[in-house]
Amino acid sequence: MGIFKSIGRLIGKGIEKVGDFFGSEKISNFGRKIQDACAEKIAAEKSYDKKEADIYTTDRLNEILVSFSEGYFQQATSYENACIKIVEEYYDKLISIIEDVGVTNYNEANLKSLRNGKKRIAKSIIGAIKDPLAKRMSLDDSECLSILKMDSGLEKKQAMTNFTQKVIKEALNNLSKNVRETLKYQIEDIQDYLNNILEEQEKEIRLLKEHFDKLIRDNELMQSDKEKSCVLPLIILEASERVCEILK
């Protein structure tokens, strides 16, 4: 079955392409300058206690943390969109293989559902980086607050640098996880569709065999041996043509 080999090769290429994206130097150097600027500003701040601090200090620190996330948003959006494009192109190629081999005659409704599955891709990837960043770089995050509580200086700067690197890694891992899950769902949808096609083919072949057997029985009752020698080739030809149509 050429379709299965084609889809298998494409699955491998799709996963490889996503892996290349996440392994790129651009991803690994994601926003170094923004991290450094944030660490410098936080290191200059005196020890902060959320329960005792005045509103001005709280607003200032909150602004630093928010500006860190916002500084990443444009770059994060471009990475999310790049992943969406990779996965959508991959999905389009899978659908194209299925359409090219002509199996749509059996399950047009399910094929339509398969095409609609593309709409889930963007929904599952958008915000994969931005949402975790905004949540962690916040005065509501306990780990972030523990660093803000430190006295100003190099130790605080290093702690903040380590924290931002950790948060960015978590955000990128979340993007990677969402992409993997999206690929997984796509592959499962394709598998379900193809399994349905196989079931339809098996059903058609069973019916074809029953029809073939009935023709044989009927002709055994009605035709002489001489006539059967002429009729049987026609029956076999009819059956062969129907099998070819099923397996197109």
Side-chain angles (χ1 to χ4, degrees), residues 93-130:
K93 288 177 182 177
L94 285 174
I95 299 298
S96 177
I97 290 174
I98 291 174
E99 291 174 335
D100 287 346
V101 297
V103 296
T104 60
N105 297 331
Y106 296 95
N107 214 332
E108 183 60 36
N110 281 353
L111 183 59
K112 184 177 180 181
S113 176
L114 210 57
R115 293 191 191 102
N116 289 337
K118 183 178 176 181
K119 297 175 183 177
R120 297 198 307 263
I121 295 172
K123 291 180 181 179
S124 63
I125 294 175
I126 290 174
I129 297 178
K130 295 179 285 187

Side-chain angles (χ1 to χ4, degrees), residues 28 181 193:
S28 63
E181 288 180 352
Y193 179 81

Side-chain angles (χ1 to χ4, degrees), residues 36-47:
D36 292 342
C38 179
E40 287 281 356
K41 292 176 182 178
I42 294 297
E45 293 285 337
K46 63 182 181 179
S47 177

Side-chain angles (χ1 to χ4, degrees), residues 38-171:
C38 179
E40 287 281 356
K41 292 176 182 178
I42 294 297
E45 293 285 337
K46 63 182 181 179
S47 177
Y48 172 78
D49 188 320
K50 188 176 180 179
K51 294 179 181 179
E52 300 177 0
D54 60 74
I55 189 172
Y56 303 106
T57 303
T58 297
D59 286 346
R60 184 173 65 253
L61 287 173
N62 185 61
E63 186 177 338
I64 293 172
L65 297 175
V66 169
S67 65
F68 174 89
S69 298
E70 289 178 344
Y72 274 101
F73 278 5
Q74 184 175 358
Q75 197 170 359
T77 299
S78 70
Y79 287 171
E80 291 169 2
N81 288 339
C83 285
I84 291 169
K85 183 179 179 182
I86 290 172
V87 179
E88 285 185 340
E89 288 177 350
Y90 161 78
Y91 196 62
D92 285 340
K93 288 177 182 177
L94 285 174
I95 299 298
S96 177
I97 290 174
I98 291 174
E99 291 174 335
D100 287 346
V101 297
V103 296
T104 60
N105 297 331
Y106 296 95
N107 214 332
E108 183 60 36
N110 281 353
L111 183 59
K112 184 177 180 181
S113 176
L114 210 57
R115 293 191 191 102
N116 289 337
K118 183 178 176 181
K119 297 175 183 177
R120 297 198 307 263
I121 295 172
K123 291 180 181 179
S124 63
I125 294 175
I126 290 174
I129 297 178
K130 295 179 285 187
D131 293 347
L133 280 180
K135 184 177 180 180
R136 294 282 269 141
M137 297 299 293
S138 163
L139 296 177
D140 294 325
D141 184 88
S142 59
E143 190 173 358
C144 183
L145 280 175
S146 67
I147 295 171
L148 297 179
K149 199 169 185 177
M150 295 172 63
D151 292 330
S152 59
L154 291 176
E155 188 177 349
K156 189 173 188 177
K157 179 181 177 181
Q158 186 59 53
M160 195 63 191
T161 298
N162 294 340
F163 176 66
T164 55
Q165 289 175 352
K166 178 182 177 181
V167 169
I168 290 169
K169 184 177 180 180
E170 289 172 355

Side-chain angles (χ1 to χ4, degrees), residues 19-49:
D20 289 343
F21 177 81
F22 283 102
S24 67
E25 185 177 350
K26 187 177 181 181
I27 283 286
S28 63
N29 292 323
F30 185 37
R32 296 287 186 188
K33 292 182 180 179
I34 300 172
Q35 292 179 55
D36 292 342
C38 179
E40 287 281 356
K41 292 176 182 178
I42 294 297
E45 293 285 337
K46 63 182 181 179
S47 177
Y48 172 78
D49 188 320

